[in-house]
Amino acid sequence: MAVFQHDVLIIGAGLAGMRAGLSAQAAGADVAIISKVHPVRSHSNAAQGGINAAVDEDDTWEDHAFDTVKGSDYLGDQDAIEVLCSEAGGEVLALERMGVIFHRDETGHLGSRAFGGQQRARTYFVGDITGQALLHVMYEQLIKQGLRIYEEWFVTELIVEDGSCKGAVVIDITSGQMHVIGAKAVIMATGGAGRVYEPSTNALICTGDGISLAYRAGAPMMDMEMVQFHPTTLKGSGVLITEGARGDGAYLINADGDRFMEKYAPNMMELASRDVVSRSEQTEINEGRGVDGCVFLDMRHLGMDLIRERLWQIREIGIDFVGVDIVKEPIPILPGMHYIMGGIKTDVWGRTPLDGLYAAGETACVSVHGANRLGANSLLDTIVFGKRSGYDAAERSKNGHATMPGEDYAVEGEKKIRALLDRPLNGDRVAKIRLDLGKVMNEKVQVFRNEDQLKSALEDVRALKKRYDTVGVEAKGKVFNTDLLFHIELGFMLECAEMVCLSSIERKESRGAHYRVDYPTRDDANWLHHITCSYTPGGPQLGTAPVTITRWEPQERKY
Ligand SMILES: Cc1cc2nc3c(=O)[nH]c(=O)nc-3n(C[C@H](O)[C@H](O)[C@H](O)COP(=O)(O)OP(=O)(O)OC[C@H]3O[C@@H](n4cnc5c(N)ncnc54)[C@H](O)[C@@H]3O)c2cc1C
């Protein structure tokens, strides 16, 4: 058991955490990053399609911002969207200078591909492995700068004293030892909560830890009803087939071979925003024009050369997971859980309302994505707001706390773990509850929602919480006790799920990804505001926060 001290502690080593770390160190802080997996195994590594920026001379950040505002169905905060889009170009070029080998066109310039919901191609990419290319380059920078990384350490709790966040209680997974890491500023960069649904495109580690940890510590969550279903996830496993495929010209077809998007989005077709395409597919499936619960993504006409250059991983995924070679056959896909627009409420510097606590990346809600995120705006979000939060946290850390947390938090933490390990087994299993949770969310809180289903989902989640309160941990060892970690993660996931259900019941209109068949239109008069969730011992308390509008007044959204 030990106590470590740093100026800035960053929880999470995906793109947001790494970018925050570099920026905090450059601003003069002593920084440490903690990650429950090796940094390059963070989910950012799985990003496929690319990162958006207005880089071309005839593109403007204002056009990118408008597309983002419209994509968000006017729920995004426009001051934050202006920051996101105006800083994008410089950040993408900075990534290239760090060593990311972005795709170049025949003229030798940075070459982009089209992505959904945008009037022009402005997505910069590395084949279909953009996240991997970015994350590895960023990791090289961390090593070069000598940042302290506590890798394979797991945060169980944030420490809040006198109204300020002062660090975290952690388990060193390799030894089972508990420690305290004290810090003058803490940045949550723990990624999303995809696995609250089953299936999901997200890695198994995306369990909403940061959302739940910050919520328990007293920071408010925002937009939790806004869950993105990606239009092209693979039948069965839910593995992602990048939107870049449609950007490069792939079609969506139904059982009759028709390009059905003609009916739903005649201008943008397959490149309408994700919420629109997902609902269109689901309508085709529900009305009997699908096959076995799916429609198809057709890439046959793209040809081997383009697929070899840009979509090679997708081809391998098709062959490995469903036995389909995209060069020769259409591949079965359906809408599936991909991203959570909601998360820890922050301002444009990553500051949460809880003093000393910051958040950046998918775990945060700035809110730049509002009710629907545009593809390739999330990598951008991690970089822009990772950097800003790192800088501001470093500045803040120049004014220390009067006292710092001591070892007693680790002693308390160890007692809680011991009690969990001593809990008798009752025949139920963590894995079973987790799967039941995922299925409930996937069936009842999905592309089309209604009050009865949402209420029934909430009841189910609460029943699962009761089961969770009595389920034991089967493995009792100290070294790499993943059974114990899964138990703790399940607690985080259940809390996230409860907030998603409650906020979805609350919002009685249809906006972006939140489509209520019982309230099928957008209702700006009553619902042009964010929904927040704050911790109380009796469960989440809902509130509201205003939407910031700077220059784009809400209009009807058509693609
Ligand atoms: C398959 C897939 C493809 C995607 N493609 C794109 C794309 O092309 N373009 C785009 O813009 N977006 C894309 N996205 C979305 C984007 O990749 C993510 O939103 C983004 O990478 C999240 O980055 P992050 O840094 O916030 O979190 P992550 O990369 O998920 O990292 C989270 C970090 O937190 C750590 N952590 C979590 N909990 C704990 C804990 N309790 N203790 C210690 N550490 C913890 C983890 O170890 C990890 O290091 C894609 C997402 C998926 C799933």
Side-chain angles (χ1 to χ4, degrees), residues 11-17 34-37 39 42-44 46-50 115 153-155 189-192 201-202 205-206 209 213 240 338-339 360-363 373 375-380 382 492:
I11 305 173
L15 275 172
I34 175 167
S35 173
K36 65 180 176 179
V37 293
S42 303
H43 187 63
S44 293
Q48 298 175 348
F115 248 63
W153 284 33
F154 185 101
V155 175
T190 41
T201 65
N202 285 202
I205 56 170
C206 299
D209 305 13
L213 286 164
L240 183 76
H338 179 56
Y339 185 86
E362 191 167 338
T363 198
R373 170 174 76 85
N377 261 357
S378 170
L379 292 181
L380 180 61
T382 65
F492 297 145

Side-chain angles (χ1 to χ4, degrees), residues 356-367:
L357 183 69
Y358 291 73
E362 191 167 338
T363 198
C365 179
V366 187
S367 124

Side-chain angles (χ1 to χ4, degrees), residues 76-149:
D77 284 322
Q78 296 181 10
D79 54 341
I81 292 174
E82 289 184 13
V83 169
L84 179 83
C85 299
S86 62
E87 295 187 5
E91 291 309 321
V92 166
L93 296 181
L95 287 170
E96 205 203 26
R97 284 176 197 137
M98 282 182 196
V100 178
I101 307 170
F102 282 112
H103 172 80
R104 290 192 172 250
D105 63 20
E106 346 24 271
T107 65
H109 291 89
L110 282 178
S112 55
R113 62 163 44 126
F115 248 63
Q118 305 193 61
Q119 293 165 68
R120 57 170 295 146
R122 62 165 76 88
T123 303
Y124 295 88
F125 65 99
V126 183
D128 52 3
I129 55 161
T130 309
Q132 185 179 331
L134 262 55
L135 196 69
H136 281 253
V137 163
M138 199 70 79
Y139 187 57
E140 288 165 9
Q141 301 296 312
L142 287 195
I143 300 296
K144 184 170 154 194
Q145 303 297 338
L147 261 81
R148 176 73 195 256
I149 304 173

Side-chain angles (χ1 to χ4, degrees), residues 518-546:
D518 41 356
Y519 301 95
T521 51
R522 196 177 82 195
D523 176 2
D524 288 339
N526 294 304
W527 292 102
L528 187 56
H529 59 242
H530 301 287
I531 294 174
T532 58
C533 286
S534 304
Y535 176 85
T536 73
Q541 184 173 24
L542 299 181
T544 63

Side-chain angles (χ1 to χ4, degrees), residues 148-217:
R148 176 73 195 256
I149 304 173
Y150 297 100
E151 100 195 11
E152 295 183 327
W153 284 33
F154 185 101
V155 175
T156 58
E157 219 173 315
L158 291 178
I159 298 170
V160 179
E161 276 177 359
D162 313 321
S164 295
C165 182
K166 294 188 181 176
V169 182
V170 300
I171 305 176
D172 172 357
I173 303 174
T174 60
S175 67
Q177 286 282 321
M178 294 204 80
H179 306 296
V180 166
I181 308 184
K184 296 171 194 159
V186 176
I187 304 178
M188 209 41 115
T190 41
R195 284 288 160 176
V196 167
Y197 283 70
E198 198 59 49
S200 160
T201 65
N202 285 202
L204 292 167
I205 56 170
C206 299
T207 45
D209 305 13
I211 293 178
S212 176
L213 286 164
Y215 163 74
R216 290 177 192 174

Side-chain angles (χ1 to χ4, degrees), residues 46-92:
Q48 298 175 348
I51 177 167
N52 290 331
V55 173
D56 277 355
E57 275 171 12
D58 57 346
D59 195 6
T60 66
W61 73 258
E62 288 90 344
D63 283 352
H64 180 194
F66 172 70
D67 288 344
T68 303
V69 169
K70 178 177 169 187
S72 82
D73 218 347
Y74 296 88
L75 191 69
D77 284 322
Q78 296 181 10
D79 54 341
I81 292 174
E82 289 184 13
V83 169
L84 179 83
C85 299
S86 62
E87 295 187 5
E91 291 309 321
V92 166

